[in-house]
Structure formats: structure tokens, C-alpha cells
Amino acid sequence: MRTDAELIVDPDTYTSGVPHDALTRLRDGNVVRVDDFWAIFRYDDVRTVLRSPGVFSSHRGATQIRDPRPDDLAFVQRMMLNQDPPNHTRLRRMLTQAFTPRAVARLEDGIRANARRIVANLSGDFAADVADLPLLTLADVFGVPRQDRALLYDWSNRVIGFQDEEYALSSSSTDGMTDMALQALELRPDDGRDPRSRGGMPDLYAYAHALGAHKREHPSDDVLSNLMREDISLEEFETLFWLFSVAGNETLRNGIPGGLIALMQHPDQYARLRADRSLLGSAVEEMLRWWTPVMHFRRTAVSDVELSGVRIAAGEKVVVWFSSANRDERVFSAPDRFDVGRSEADHLSFGHGPHFCLGAQLARTQLRAVFEAVLDLPGLLELDGEVVRLRSNFQNGVKHLPVRLT
């Protein structure tokens, strides 16, 4: 029999679902030693770690449980995700104008139209169908030609799905792609190299440079065009492109089918939401809490520190477990119950503190658009086969969600 600590780090565990019973038991133990890191399970402790970058650094060892290879660490540390203030603040500022409420509002009509088209033409695999919505949105926000959006899909598969054979060597159809996409793809490795390394994603970086050069010559109102006007180094540009290619896609791609799973598993709440559309906003937040797409992130202690009575030494890994904090019974009543009208504390699915998700409002807009379209269907969506989950201890992923309309 495996211990709870062994269970939660094994990617095979998650092919049958998040082990919430194990997380509940670990949460009772507060700060727990797991493998070679300290795991933080309670809501208040997770918030403390995330809002304290001077104590718990994103930069020292980056933000994944597994350490980058020594040769790759310096490159990985350049990513905004793996920066601390003030460098993180400077890089984040370059992107904020794309995610203001006004900027998101300009995109809303297009997002709703895309969502309605997708939901009206479901193939039977909801997860595969809705994966196109964040790709279309990202392409518009960042200035990637729509016909190249499959590249974003493949890159995020390779990064997030490195523990899953189906995703690790993802390759979509190249039909209709631009010449710069086809040229970049000639560099794609086929040996499963670590996608966090500089040499692991040569096709991504080649495409980033080609698209950046195009934006310098033909600027428009998109993030890449704006970055070309900034005082940004080559390495910073590469890592920002890497980050938005993955982060802006994968979380929402899994959060949407996760939300539908929540509704299908709680038919009373599905009926309640169909009867009262005013609950859609709180329902979206509850989907994000109940499903929790990103399950954890790592920090590294800068100095010796005490957290909830546990001494953590400088240099030790500290991993905050969102999928536990979002079901902390100290904060959420009946936390395992999905309640579309829940109005308690904020969930932590978008993080907290200086690294709070920059695209949170854009993600919420897309979730609302999809479920508006789902609620407008002339019947209910119900499960029509086995849910196939991603083999990953990081992303609460859904690869296939077979559904039918009753």
C-alpha cells in the first residue's frame, strides 16, 4: 500500500481522478514532508507562500517540482513565471494592456461567436471540441495567424503532457499553415527532449523569431506587436512567447471540460443553473474551484522560515497544492459539494499575490461564453463513454470527454 504522499506525486494516480481523500488526510497534517519537498495543503498557508516572494522565491529553483537540469536552470529562470519582483513586475507590465477589462470586452463578441459555433457543432468529444476556443482567442490576442494555432496546441501538449505518451510528441496537421510555421516545424525534435530546456523546443523559438520579425515590419494591435516596441532582450522575448503559448491555453482547455463534468455529476446544479442564468458568474468560479486545473506550483525558501509551526530551511522546496487548498474545510463549507451559488472565499485556481494569473478575466469570459452556449442547447449534455484523463500530477487534464445531447 502506498502512502498518501506517494499517491499524490504519482502521475498514474490522476488518470482515474484527483485523490481528494488523500489530500484531505494530508491537509489535516498541515505542512507535510513529501519526497524532497515540503507540501503545503491548507488555504491560508498557500496564500501566505504565494504573497511572500521575498521569502518563498519563484526564481531560485523555478516553479516545477522536478528540478531543471543545471545546464537549463539559467534559461528556465528567465521566464516571467519563474521571476520574482522587480524583474517579474517589469515583464508583467509589458503584457498588462492586453488584459485590461476594456481590452477583454473588445474580444467578447468574437469569443461568444466562436463558443456558440463550437458548441453547436459538437463532434461527441467535448474536450477535443472546446480545445479550439482558447487557441482562437490566443491567436487573436497575441497576433498569431489563426491557421497556425495548431502549433500552440502542440507546444502546450508537449510541455504539460511530458508525463503522458499521447501528448509528449504531439503533432497536428500542417494543412494551411504559413510558410514560417512550416519552416519552424522542420526543426521539431522527435526524441522527447525536456520542453523546458532551450534545446527542447527549437521549433517554438524559430517561429517566435520569424513572427517577431514580421510584426516589426507589419505591426498591429496585438501583444507581439507591442512587445516589439518594448525594451526587451532576446531571451526575454523567447521566454514570454513560450509562456503565453502554453499558459494561456492549457489551463482553460482543461477547465472547460472540468466544468461540464461538474455539471453532469451534479444534475441538480445543472438544472438549477438552466433555470437561473444569473448564477452563471458564480457557477464559473465554482467550476474553477471544484475542478482546479493547475494542481500545484513550487517555490524555494530564500532563508530559514517557520510556516504553521514547521521549520523550513533556506534552499528547500516548498510546493503549494491548489487542489487541496480549494477544498479546505476551514474555508469552504461542504467543500466536496459542487454549488453553482457558492459565495464564500475566493478560490486559488488563478493563484494569489504577484503571480496572480494575468489572463484570469479573459479565461472567465471564455468559460461564461461556452456555458452560455451549453445552457442554450435544446437539451442536456450527458456522459456517453469513459472520460480519458491526462497522465499528469501537475495539470488536472481531460483528453477525451464523450458526450451526447439528450
Side-chain angles (χ1 to χ4, degrees):
M1 298 229 4
R2 292 181 297 172
T3 66
D4 289 334
E6 291 170 333
L7 194 69
I8 67 167
V9 297
D10 183 353
D12 286 326
T13 297
Y14 297 88
T15 59
S16 57
V18 178
H20 284 294
D21 288 347
L23 290 172
T24 298
R25 291 188 291 268
L26 289 165
R27 193 161 55 245
D28 288 341
N30 201 7
V31 179
V32 179
R33 189 70 182 182
V34 175
D35 199 13
D36 66 342
F37 60 88
W38 291 102
I40 315 300
F41 296 105
R42 293 185 184 176
Y43 182 93
D44 288 342
D45 288 336
V46 169
R47 282 168 56 96
T48 295
V49 170
L50 294 178
R51 68 170 178 254
S52 309
V55 180
F56 300 102
S57 170
S58 298
H59 185 68
R60 292 293 177 95
T63 51
Q64 297 295 301
I65 291 178
R66 61 190 181 116
D67 294 316
R69 294 186 311 171
D71 292 346
D72 294 328
L73 178 59
F75 174 76
V76 171
Q77 286 176 321
R78 296 190 191 113
M79 296 181 184
M80 186 174 74
L81 183 69
N82 301 324
Q83 291 276 352
D84 296 323
N87 284 339
H88 170 264
T89 308
R90 180 180 64 84
L91 291 172
R92 186 180 175 99
R93 178 191 57 78
M94 296 180 186
L95 300 174
T96 52
Q97 63 185 6
F99 300 100
T100 62
R102 179 177 295 181
V104 173
R106 287 200 300 267
L107 297 168
E108 189 165 359
D109 287 345
I111 289 171
R112 293 180 71 185
N114 288 334
R116 289 188 174 280
R117 176 184 52 78
I118 290 168
V119 171
N121 295 281
L122 292 176
S123 68
D125 185 344
F126 188 81
D129 291 333
V130 299
D132 201 34
L133 180 61
L135 296 175
L136 288 164
T137 303
L138 276 178
D140 291 345
V141 170
F142 292 102
V144 174
R146 282 193 168 196
Q147 62 266 41
D148 292 346
R149 65 185 185 276
L151 290 175
L152 304 176
Y153 180 83
D154 289 344
W155 292 330
S156 64
N157 276 359
R158 287 158 61 193
V159 172
I160 298 299
F162 72 94
Q163 295 171 319
D164 189 295
E165 290 184 1
E166 183 179 343
Y167 275 17
L169 297 175
S170 176
S171 182
S172 298
S173 170
T174 59
D175 291 348
M177 284 187 180
T178 63
D179 288 342
M180 60 183 169
L182 297 175
Q183 291 167 10
L185 282 172
E186 292 178 1
L187 303 175
R188 172 168 289 183
D190 57 4
D191 56 2
R193 278 180 280 175
D194 188 339
R196 299 174 303 164
S197 68
R198 180 62 180 81
M201 302 278 274
D203 48 323
L204 181 149
Y205 298 113
Y207 185 82
H209 288 298
L211 186 58
H214 177 77
K215 295 296 181 181
R216 286 191 187 94
E217 294 295 324
H218 309 282
S220 55
D221 185 21
D222 56 58
V223 167
L224 280 183
S225 295
N226 291 334
L227 282 179
M228 295 302 98
R229 304 183 186 104
E230 294 280 357
D231 181 17
I232 184 172
S233 71
L234 176 64
E235 293 82 3
E236 289 170 339
F237 169 70
E238 288 182 339
T239 56
L240 283 175
F241 190 88
W242 184 101
L243 181 62
F244 76 65
S245 296
V246 176
N249 170 31
E250 196 63 28
T251 300
L252 189 63
R253 167 186 169 185
N254 291 308
I256 295 173
L260 182 62
I261 289 172
L263 290 176
M264 293 190 298
Q265 289 186 0
H266 299 81
D268 61 322
Q269 297 300 304
Y270 198 167
R272 182 184 176 194
L273 186 56
R274 280 170 60 88
D276 185 358
R277 294 292 187 88
S278 70
L279 293 172
L280 185 56
S282 60
V284 162
E285 300 306 318
E286 179 71 340
M287 291 171 184
L288 289 162
R289 183 199 71 86
W290 190 85
W291 185 257
T292 309
V294 175
M295 293 186 285
H296 60 71
F297 262 119
R298 169 204 173 164
R299 299 292 187 263
T300 303
V302 174
S303 55
D304 293 349
V305 62
E306 183 174 305
L307 184 65
S308 288
V310 175
R311 296 291 299 175
I312 298 172
E316 289 189 309
K317 299 179 188 179
V318 176
V319 179
V320 294
W321 227 273
F322 299 121
S323 47
S324 170
N326 277 345
R327 296 204 184 191
D328 190 341
E329 51 284 319
R330 297 158 190 81
V331 177
F332 302 101
S333 59
D336 293 331
R337 177 170 54 87
F338 178 75
D339 178 1
V340 296
R342 189 183 292 273
S343 59
E344 295 172 301
D346 294 336
H347 62 78
L348 297 177
S349 293
F350 290 128
H352 181 66
H355 280 275
F356 182 82
C357 178
L358 191 60
Q361 191 56 38
L362 186 60
R364 289 179 170 116
T365 297
Q366 292 178 83
L367 277 160
R368 284 197 301 269
V370 167
F371 286 100
E372 281 177 358
V374 166
L375 295 173
D376 281 341
L377 289 170
L380 298 172
L381 291 176
E382 63 178 28
L383 198 60
D384 191 31
E386 182 181 358
V387 178
V388 182
R389 296 174 180 264
L390 180 67
R391 182 183 182 271
S392 171
N393 63 15
F394 175 66
Q395 185 78 222
N396 189 10
V398 183
K399 297 195 293 185
H400 303 289
L401 178 57
V403 296
R404 65 173 176 263
L405 183 66
T406 61

